[in-house]
């Protein structure tokens, strides 16, 4: 689900169950924050106040799907 790309940067990728379709992707700095699953969201950074916020809605939005397809 997530990969460390450097010492303090994490690449979080969310895939469809059962295949390799990428649904959402985020890169964030590690703050010692744990990943939490709720019924409606995957929360990865409670301190993130950017336009994407610190979570991924479940199911991911069309914007998440589109951004995941970009190089």
């Amino acid at each position: 689900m997530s990969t460390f790309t450097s010492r303090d940067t994490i690449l979080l990728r969310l895939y469809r169950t059962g295949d390799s379709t990428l649904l959402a992707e985020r890169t964030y700095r590690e703050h010692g924050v744990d990943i939490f699953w709720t019924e409606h969201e995957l929360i990865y950074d409670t301190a993130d106040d950017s336009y994407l916020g610190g979570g991924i809605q479940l199911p991911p939005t069309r914007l998440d799907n589109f951004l995941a397809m970009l190089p």
Side-chain angles (χ1 to χ4, degrees):
M1 177 179 59
S2 63
T3 304
F4 288 92
T5 59
S6 71
R7 189 172 179 172
D8 65 347
T9 303
I10 298 172
L11 175 61
L12 174 69
R13 290 182 171 164
L14 182 64
Y15 293 93
R16 182 181 313 277
T17 301
D19 66 38
S20 61
T21 303
L22 182 61
L23 300 175
E25 181 177 274
R26 298 286 196 281
T27 303
Y28 67 100
R29 301 262 180 209
E30 183 180 12
H31 299 113
V33 177
D34 293 324
I35 294 175
F36 300 99
W37 291 91
T38 69
E39 186 176 339
H40 302 288
E41 188 173 21
L42 169 63
I43 302 168
Y44 59 88
D45 187 351
T46 56
D48 187 349
D49 61 355
S50 69
Y51 71 97
L52 291 174
I56 299 171
Q57 291 181 10
L58 299 175
T61 64
R62 289 181 191 211
L63 176 59
D64 282 320
N65 295 154
F66 175 73
L67 292 174
M69 289 188 282
L70 296 176

